Amino acid sequence: MNKHIEVVKKWLADPQSVTQAELEANAKAANAARAAADATAVAAAMAADAAWAAAWAAAMAADAAWAAAARATYWVKQYEEITNA
């Protein structure tokens, strides 16, 4: 499983278990991984996009916790469907 998705899933299960700084660092790292994904490997690029989106949504939790959790949940599901996880 993708380490960025794992951080988001941990946050979804218990928002107090991950700090805002950890969420932001996770989103930045996921974005770097997304940028590095091979564009010719469509599934890998889509999975990287979904992982980044989930990490970004979780990082936005301080602004709108419910909406961020809903977006994060959606993107975790998208990632799992793409990767058959």
Side-chain angles (χ1 to χ4, degrees), residues 6-7 9-12 14 16 18 20 23-24 31-32 34 36 45 48 50 53 60 62 65 76-80 82:
E6 291 301 318
V7 172
K9 288 172 106 176
K10 180 180 176 185
W11 172 77
L12 287 169
D14 178 12
Q16 303 304 317
V18 183
Q20 185 67 28
L23 291 172
E24 290 172 9
N31 192 41
R34 175 182 178 229
M60 298 297 105
V76 166
K77 183 178 176 189
Q78 292 298 307
Y79 173 85
E80 290 174 341
I82 292 166

Side-chain angles (χ1 to χ4, degrees), residues 3-79:
K3 65 184 177 181
H4 307 296
I5 292 292
E6 291 301 318
V7 172
V8 173
K9 288 172 106 176
K10 180 180 176 185
W11 172 77
L12 287 169
D14 178 12
Q16 303 304 317
S17 68
V18 183
T19 67
Q20 185 67 28
E22 289 172 312
L23 291 172
E24 290 172 9
N26 187 50
K28 287 180 185 176
N31 192 41
R34 175 182 178 229
D38 183 3
T40 61
V42 175
M46 288 174 62
D49 284 352
W52 170 80
W56 179 85
M60 298 297 105
D63 294 332
W66 181 86
R71 284 191 304 273
T73 300
Y74 171 81
W75 285 111
V76 166
K77 183 178 176 189
Q78 292 298 307
Y79 173 85

